[in-house]
PDB file of all heavy atoms in Angstrom:
ATOM      1  N   VAL J  12     140.170  57.896 106.881  1.00 98.00           N
ATOM      2  CA  VAL J  12     139.428  56.908 106.104  1.00 98.00           C
ATOM      3  C   VAL J  12     139.050  57.504 104.752  1.00 98.00           C
ATOM      4  O   VAL J  12     138.537  58.627 104.684  1.00 98.00           O
ATOM      5  CB  VAL J  12     138.149  56.448 106.835  1.00 98.00           C
ATOM      6  CG1 VAL J  12     137.446  55.352 106.026  1.00 98.00           C
ATOM      7  CG2 VAL J  12     138.480  55.959 108.239  1.00 98.00           C
ATOM      8  N   TYR J  13     139.309  56.732 103.687  1.00 98.00           N
ATOM      9  CA  TYR J  13     138.904  57.100 102.330  1.00 98.00           C
ATOM     10  C   TYR J  13     137.949  56.028 101.817  1.00 98.00           C
ATOM     11  O   TYR J  13     138.167  54.836 102.040  1.00 98.00           O
ATOM     12  CB  TYR J  13     140.111  57.205 101.401  1.00 98.00           C
ATOM     13  CG  TYR J  13     141.052  58.340 101.737  1.00 98.00           C
ATOM     14  CD1 TYR J  13     142.030  58.193 102.715  1.00 98.00           C
ATOM     15  CD2 TYR J  13     140.956  59.559 101.067  1.00 98.00           C
ATOM     16  CE1 TYR J  13     142.896  59.235 103.037  1.00 98.00           C
ATOM     17  CE2 TYR J  13     141.825  60.603 101.368  1.00 98.00           C
ATOM     18  CZ  TYR J  13     142.786  60.435 102.357  1.00 98.00           C
ATOM     19  OH  TYR J  13     143.627  61.468 102.664  1.00 98.00           O
ATOM     20  N   THR J  14     136.906  56.471 101.095  1.00 98.00           N
ATOM     21  CA  THR J  14     135.889  55.533 100.629  1.00 98.00           C
ATOM     22  C   THR J  14     135.526  55.781  99.171  1.00 98.00           C
ATOM     23  O   THR J  14     135.466  56.925  98.716  1.00 98.00           O
ATOM     24  CB  THR J  14     134.611  55.642 101.495  1.00 98.00           C
ATOM     25  OG1 THR J  14     134.901  55.186 102.817  1.00 98.00           O
ATOM     26  CG2 THR J  14     133.467  54.807 100.929  1.00 98.00           C
ATOM     27  N   THR J  15     135.292  54.686  98.476  1.00 98.00           N
ATOM     28  CA  THR J  15     134.708  54.715  97.127  1.00 98.00           C
ATOM     29  C   THR J  15     133.410  53.923  97.157  1.00 98.00           C
ATOM     30  O   THR J  15     133.393  52.776  97.620  1.00 98.00           O
ATOM     31  CB  THR J  15     135.662  54.108  96.088  1.00 98.00           C
ATOM     32  OG1 THR J  15     136.805  54.941  95.938  1.00 98.00           O
ATOM     33  CG2 THR J  15     134.966  53.973  94.731  1.00 98.00           C
ATOM     34  N   ASP J  16     132.328  54.549  96.702  1.00 98.00           N
ATOM     35  CA  ASP J  16     131.050  53.860  96.528  1.00 98.00           C
ATOM     36  C   ASP J  16     130.299  54.568  95.414  1.00 98.00           C
ATOM     37  O   ASP J  16     130.911  55.246  94.587  1.00 98.00           O
ATOM     38  CB  ASP J  16     130.253  53.814  97.838  1.00 98.00           C
ATOM     39  CG  ASP J  16     129.909  55.199  98.385  1.00 98.00           C
ATOM     40  OD1 ASP J  16     130.123  56.202  97.663  1.00 98.00           O
ATOM     41  OD2 ASP J  16     129.420  55.290  99.523  1.00 98.00           O
ATOM     42  N   SER J  17     128.998  54.411  95.370  1.00 97.00           N
ATOM     43  CA  SER J  17     128.233  55.017  94.269  1.00 97.00           C
ATOM     44  C   SER J  17     128.207  56.542  94.335  1.00 97.00           C
ATOM     45  O   SER J  17     127.876  57.200  93.342  1.00 97.00           O
ATOM     46  CB  SER J  17     126.800  54.475  94.270  1.00 97.00           C
ATOM     47  OG  SER J  17     126.135  54.810  95.483  1.00 97.00           O
ATOM     48  N   GLN J  18     128.556  57.111  95.493  1.00 97.00           N
ATOM     49  CA  GLN J  18     128.514  58.554  95.669  1.00 97.00           C
ATOM     50  C   GLN J  18     129.900  59.183  95.812  1.00 97.00           C
ATOM     51  O   GLN J  18     130.049  60.393  95.640  1.00 97.00           O
ATOM     52  CB  GLN J  18     127.681  58.907  96.916  1.00 97.00           C
ATOM     53  CG  GLN J  18     126.267  58.362  96.907  1.00 97.00           C
ATOM     54  CD  GLN J  18     125.437  58.923  95.775  1.00 97.00           C
ATOM     55  OE1 GLN J  18     125.514  60.111  95.462  1.00 97.00           O
ATOM     56  NE2 GLN J  18     124.659  58.057  95.132  1.00 97.00           N
ATOM     57  N   ARG J  19     130.903  58.393  96.120  1.00 98.00           N
ATOM     58  CA  ARG J  19     132.233  58.917  96.434  1.00 98.00           C
ATOM     59  C   ARG J  19     133.285  58.244  95.566  1.00 98.00           C
ATOM     60  O   ARG J  19     133.168  57.075  95.245  1.00 98.00           O
ATOM     61  CB  ARG J  19     132.562  58.698  97.911  1.00 98.00           C
ATOM     62  CG  ARG J  19     131.558  59.328  98.865  1.00 98.00           C
ATOM     63  CD  ARG J  19     131.746  58.810 100.279  1.00 98.00           C
ATOM     64  NE  ARG J  19     130.725  59.319 101.194  1.00 98.00           N
ATOM     65  CZ  ARG J  19     129.515  58.800 101.332  1.00 98.00           C
ATOM     66  NH1 ARG J  19     129.173  57.725 100.611  1.00 98.00           N
ATOM     67  NH2 ARG J  19     128.639  59.324 102.169  1.00 98.00           N
ATOM     68  N   MET J  20     134.317  58.997  95.258  1.00 98.00           N
ATOM     69  CA  MET J  20     135.409  58.476  94.441  1.00 98.00           C
ATOM     70  C   MET J  20     136.715  58.655  95.202  1.00 98.00           C
ATOM     71  O   MET J  20     137.400  59.664  95.071  1.00 98.00           O
ATOM     72  CB  MET J  20     135.457  59.195  93.095  1.00 98.00           C
ATOM     73  CG  MET J  20     134.184  59.048  92.280  1.00 98.00           C
ATOM     74  SD  MET J  20     134.230  60.040  90.774  1.00 98.00           S
ATOM     75  CE  MET J  20     132.582  59.708  90.111  1.00 98.00           C
ATOM     76  N   CYS J  21     137.021  57.688  96.047  1.00 98.00           N
ATOM     77  CA  CYS J  21     138.198  57.718  96.921  1.00 98.00           C
ATOM     78  C   CYS J  21     138.268  59.053  97.661  1.00 98.00           C
ATOM     79  O   CYS J  21     139.265  59.759  97.607  1.00 98.00           O
ATOM     80  CB  CYS J  21     139.482  57.477  96.124  1.00 98.00           C
ATOM     81  SG  CYS J  21     140.893  56.995  97.167  1.00 98.00           S
ATOM     82  N   GLU J  22     137.207  59.357  98.372  1.00 98.00           N
ATOM     83  CA  GLU J  22     137.108  60.617  99.109  1.00 98.00           C
ATOM     84  C   GLU J  22     137.341  60.386 100.600  1.00 98.00           C
ATOM     85  O   GLU J  22     136.943  59.365 101.161  1.00 98.00           O
ATOM     86  CB  GLU J  22     135.729  61.243  98.904  1.00 98.00           C
ATOM     87  CG  GLU J  22     135.457  61.648  97.474  1.00 98.00           C
ATOM     88  CD  GLU J  22     134.062  62.228  97.289  1.00 98.00           C
ATOM     89  OE1 GLU J  22     133.416  62.556  98.310  1.00 98.00           O
ATOM     90  OE2 GLU J  22     133.614  62.336  96.134  1.00 98.00           O
ATOM     91  N   GLU J  23     137.972  61.367 101.247  1.00 98.00           N
ATOM     92  CA  GLU J  23     138.165  61.301 102.678  1.00 98.00           C
ATOM     93  C   GLU J  23     136.818  61.451 103.376  1.00 98.00           C
ATOM     94  O   GLU J  23     136.093  62.417 103.146  1.00 98.00           O
ATOM     95  CB  GLU J  23     139.111  62.392 103.145  1.00 98.00           C
ATOM     96  CG  GLU J  23     139.412  62.362 104.631  1.00 98.00           C
ATOM     97  CD  GLU J  23     140.372  63.459 105.066  1.00 98.00           C
ATOM     98  OE1 GLU J  23     141.404  63.671 104.366  1.00 98.00           O
ATOM     99  OE2 GLU J  23     140.087  64.117 106.090  1.00 98.00           O
ATOM    100  N   VAL J  24     136.489  60.487 104.245  1.00 98.00           N
ATOM    101  CA  VAL J  24     135.194  60.522 104.934  1.00 98.00           C
ATOM    102  C   VAL J  24     135.357  60.638 106.447  1.00 98.00           C
ATOM    103  O   VAL J  24     134.370  60.863 107.158  1.00 98.00           O
ATOM    104  CB  VAL J  24     134.355  59.272 104.599  1.00 98.00           C
ATOM    105  CG1 VAL J  24     134.008  59.235 103.118  1.00 98.00           C
ATOM    106  CG2 VAL J  24     135.082  57.990 105.013  1.00 98.00           C
ATOM    107  N   TYR J  25     136.590  60.467 106.936  1.00 97.00           N
ATOM    108  CA  TYR J  25     136.806  60.598 108.371  1.00 97.00           C
ATOM    109  C   TYR J  25     138.273  60.895 108.633  1.00 97.00           C
ATOM    110  O   TYR J  25     139.165  60.359 107.967  1.00 97.00           O
ATOM    111  CB  TYR J  25     136.416  59.317 109.118  1.00 97.00           C
ATOM    112  CG  TYR J  25     136.688  59.397 110.607  1.00 97.00           C
ATOM    113  CD1 TYR J  25     135.795  60.047 111.458  1.00 97.00           C
ATOM    114  CD2 TYR J  25     137.850  58.856 111.152  1.00 97.00           C
ATOM    115  CE1 TYR J  25     136.050  60.153 112.820  1.00 97.00           C
ATOM    116  CE2 TYR J  25     138.108  58.951 112.517  1.00 97.00           C
ATOM    117  CZ  TYR J  25     137.205  59.605 113.341  1.00 97.00           C
ATOM    118  OH  TYR J  25     137.457  59.718 114.676  1.00 97.00           O
ATOM    119  N   SER J  26     138.523  61.732 109.641  1.00 98.00           N
ATOM    120  CA  SER J  26     139.875  61.995 110.116  1.00 98.00           C
ATOM    121  C   SER J  26     139.790  62.328 111.603  1.00 98.00           C
ATOM    122  O   SER J  26     139.046  63.230 112.004  1.00 98.00           O
ATOM    123  CB  SER J  26     140.517  63.151 109.346  1.00 98.00           C
ATOM    124  OG  SER J  26     141.829  63.404 109.818  1.00 98.00           O
ATOM    125  N   GLY J  27     140.510  61.598 112.427  1.00 98.00           N
ATOM    126  CA  GLY J  27     140.452  61.823 113.857  1.00 98.00           C
ATOM    127  C   GLY J  27     140.985  60.626 114.611  1.00 98.00           C
ATOM    128  O   GLY J  27     141.799  59.847 114.091  1.00 98.00           O
ATOM    129  N   ALA J  28     140.517  60.465 115.832  1.00 97.00           N
ATOM    130  CA  ALA J  28     140.947  59.338 116.652  1.00 97.00           C
ATOM    131  C   ALA J  28     140.243  58.063 116.196  1.00 97.00           C
ATOM    132  O   ALA J  28     139.108  58.113 115.714  1.00 97.00           O
ATOM    133  CB  ALA J  28     140.636  59.612 118.121  1.00 97.00           C
ATOM    134  N   PRO J  29     140.897  56.911 116.346  1.00 97.00           N
ATOM    135  CA  PRO J  29     140.232  55.641 116.015  1.00 97.00           C
ATOM    136  C   PRO J  29     138.951  55.473 116.834  1.00 97.00           C
ATOM    137  O   PRO J  29     138.883  55.877 117.994  1.00 97.00           O
ATOM    138  CB  PRO J  29     141.282  54.587 116.384  1.00 97.00           C
ATOM    139  CG  PRO J  29     142.590  55.307 116.251  1.00 97.00           C
ATOM    140  CD  PRO J  29     142.313  56.706 116.725  1.00 97.00           C
ATOM    141  N   GLN J  30     137.945  54.862 116.216  1.00 95.00           N
ATOM    142  CA  GLN J  30     136.643  54.686 116.839  1.00 95.00           C
ATOM    143  C   GLN J  30     136.412  53.215 117.196  1.00 95.00           C
ATOM    144  O   GLN J  30     137.145  52.322 116.780  1.00 95.00           O
ATOM    145  CB  GLN J  30     135.547  55.167 115.884  1.00 95.00           C
ATOM    146  CG  GLN J  30     135.697  56.619 115.436  1.00 95.00           C
ATOM    147  CD  GLN J  30     135.553  57.586 116.601  1.00 95.00           C
ATOM    148  OE1 GLN J  30     134.519  57.634 117.261  1.00 95.00           O
ATOM    149  NE2 GLN J  30     136.609  58.361 116.841  1.00 95.00           N
ATOM    150  N   GLU J  31     135.357  53.003 117.973  1.00 94.00           N
ATOM    151  CA  GLU J  31     134.995  51.653 118.371  1.00 94.00           C
ATOM    152  C   GLU J  31     134.609  50.816 117.159  1.00 94.00           C
ATOM    153  O   GLU J  31     134.960  49.643 117.042  1.00 94.00           O
ATOM    154  CB  GLU J  31     133.842  51.683 119.373  1.00 94.00           C
ATOM    155  CG  GLU J  31     133.333  50.320 119.809  1.00 94.00           C
ATOM    156  CD  GLU J  31     134.328  49.523 120.617  1.00 94.00           C
ATOM    157  OE1 GLU J  31     135.268  50.140 121.180  1.00 94.00           O
ATOM    158  OE2 GLU J  31     134.185  48.294 120.692  1.00 94.00           O
ATOM    159  N   SER J  32     133.851  51.424 116.241  1.00 95.00           N
ATOM    160  CA  SER J  32     133.448  50.725 115.019  1.00 95.00           C
ATOM    161  C   SER J  32     133.189  51.769 113.935  1.00 95.00           C
ATOM    162  O   SER J  32     133.109  52.977 114.202  1.00 95.00           O
ATOM    163  CB  SER J  32     132.204  49.871 115.252  1.00 95.00           C
ATOM    164  OG  SER J  32     131.091  50.685 115.556  1.00 95.00           O
ATOM    165  N   TYR J  33     133.041  51.262 112.714  1.00 96.00           N
ATOM    166  CA  TYR J  33     132.882  52.149 111.561  1.00 96.00           C
ATOM    167  C   TYR J  33     131.768  51.612 110.679  1.00 96.00           C
ATOM    168  O   TYR J  33     131.643  50.396 110.485  1.00 96.00           O
ATOM    169  CB  TYR J  33     134.181  52.234 110.750  1.00 96.00           C
ATOM    170  CG  TYR J  33     135.384  52.468 111.619  1.00 96.00           C
ATOM    171  CD1 TYR J  33     136.160  51.384 112.056  1.00 96.00           C
ATOM    172  CD2 TYR J  33     135.731  53.742 112.033  1.00 96.00           C
ATOM    173  CE1 TYR J  33     137.244  51.576 112.881  1.00 96.00           C
ATOM    174  CE2 TYR J  33     136.823  53.951 112.861  1.00 96.00           C
ATOM    175  CZ  TYR J  33     137.578  52.866 113.282  1.00 96.00           C
ATOM    176  OH  TYR J  33     138.659  53.060 114.107  1.00 96.00           O
ATOM    177  N   GLU J  34     130.987  52.521 110.138  1.00 95.00           N
ATOM    178  CA  GLU J  34     129.944  52.110 109.202  1.00 95.00           C
ATOM    179  C   GLU J  34     130.577  51.845 107.845  1.00 95.00           C
ATOM    180  O   GLU J  34     131.191  52.731 107.258  1.00 95.00           O
ATOM    181  CB  GLU J  34     128.871  53.192 109.079  1.00 95.00           C
ATOM    182  CG  GLU J  34     127.706  52.769 108.196  1.00 95.00           C
ATOM    183  CD  GLU J  34     126.642  53.846 108.072  1.00 95.00           C
ATOM    184  OE1 GLU J  34     126.998  54.983 107.681  1.00 95.00           O
ATOM    185  OE2 GLU J  34     125.470  53.547 108.354  1.00 95.00           O
ATOM    186  N   CYS J  35     130.430  50.638 107.376  1.00 95.00           N
ATOM    187  CA  CYS J  35     130.971  50.240 106.078  1.00 95.00           C
ATOM    188  C   CYS J  35     129.798  50.130 105.111  1.00 95.00           C
ATOM    189  O   CYS J  35     128.965  49.227 105.207  1.00 95.00           O
ATOM    190  CB  CYS J  35     131.705  48.907 106.209  1.00 95.00           C
ATOM    191  SG  CYS J  35     132.719  48.465 104.799  1.00 95.00           S
ATOM    192  N   LEU J  36     129.730  51.062 104.187  1.00 95.00           N
ATOM    193  CA  LEU J  36     128.576  51.177 103.309  1.00 95.00           C
ATOM    194  C   LEU J  36     128.500  50.029 102.318  1.00 95.00           C
ATOM    195  O   LEU J  36     129.514  49.411 101.963  1.00 95.00           O
ATOM    196  CB  LEU J  36     128.629  52.504 102.556  1.00 95.00           C
ATOM    197  CG  LEU J  36     128.615  53.765 103.440  1.00 95.00           C
ATOM    198  CD1 LEU J  36     128.857  55.010 102.594  1.00 95.00           C
ATOM    199  CD2 LEU J  36     127.298  53.871 104.206  1.00 95.00           C
ATOM    200  N   GLU J  37     127.284  49.735 101.859  1.00 95.00           N
ATOM    201  CA  GLU J  37     127.103  48.658 100.887  1.00 95.00           C
ATOM    202  C   GLU J  37     127.835  48.983  99.594  1.00 95.00           C
ATOM    203  O   GLU J  37     127.945  50.148  99.189  1.00 95.00           O
ATOM    204  CB  GLU J  37     125.616  48.438 100.611  1.00 95.00           C
ATOM    205  CG  GLU J  37     124.917  49.609  99.935  1.00 95.00           C
ATOM    206  CD  GLU J  37     123.466  49.306  99.635  1.00 95.00           C
ATOM    207  OE1 GLU J  37     123.092  48.127  99.662  1.00 95.00           O
ATOM    208  OE2 GLU J  37     122.710  50.258  99.372  1.00 95.00           O
ATOM    209  N   ASN J  38     128.354  47.946  98.960  1.00 97.00           N
ATOM    210  CA  ASN J  38     129.066  48.079  97.686  1.00 97.00           C
ATOM    211  C   ASN J  38     130.079  49.211  97.736  1.00 97.00           C
ATOM    212  O   ASN J  38     130.037  50.158  96.954  1.00 97.00           O
ATOM    213  CB  ASN J  38     128.072  48.302  96.543  1.00 97.00           C
ATOM    214  CG  ASN J  38     127.147  47.126  96.363  1.00 97.00           C
ATOM    215  OD1 ASN J  38     127.565  45.975  96.438  1.00 97.00           O
ATOM    216  ND2 ASN J  38     125.869  47.401  96.132  1.00 97.00           N
ATOM    217  N   SER J  39     131.002  49.079  98.676  1.00 98.00           N
ATOM    218  CA  SER J  39     131.991  50.138  98.883  1.00 98.00           C
ATOM    219  C   SER J  39     133.372  49.552  99.110  1.00 98.00           C
ATOM    220  O   SER J  39     133.539  48.364  99.411  1.00 98.00           O
ATOM    221  CB  SER J  39     131.600  50.993 100.094  1.00 98.00           C
ATOM    222  OG  SER J  39     131.737  50.250 101.302  1.00 98.00           O
ATOM    223  N   VAL J  40     134.368  50.427  98.973  1.00 98.00           N
ATOM    224  CA  VAL J  40     135.749  50.111  99.324  1.00 98.00           C
ATOM    225  C   VAL J  40     136.210  51.193 100.279  1.00 98.00           C
ATOM    226  O   VAL J  40     136.083  52.383  99.971  1.00 98.00           O
ATOM    227  CB  VAL J  40     136.675  50.096  98.092  1.00 98.00           C
ATOM    228  CG1 VAL J  40     138.043  49.537  98.480  1.00 98.00           C
ATOM    229  CG2 VAL J  40     136.074  49.319  96.954  1.00 98.00           C
TER     230      VAL J  40
END
């Protein structure tokens, strides 16, 4: 998973097995 938000610029935030659910941060991609 890669995320861009106010703190991250297309940064890898997770690597591993698929999870039941994922936290999707406000104002993020």
Side-chain angles (χ1 to χ4, degrees):
V12 183
Y13 293 83
T14 293
T15 293
D16 61 10
S17 62
Q18 304 297 319
R19 303 167 185 83
M20 300 175 183
C21 198
E22 296 178 14
E23 182 179 315
V24 296
Y25 177 81
S26 180
Q30 303 295 300
E31 177 67 20
S32 65
Y33 313 95
E34 184 180 55
C35 193
L36 300 173
E37 65 177 344
N38 297 319
S39 69
V40 189

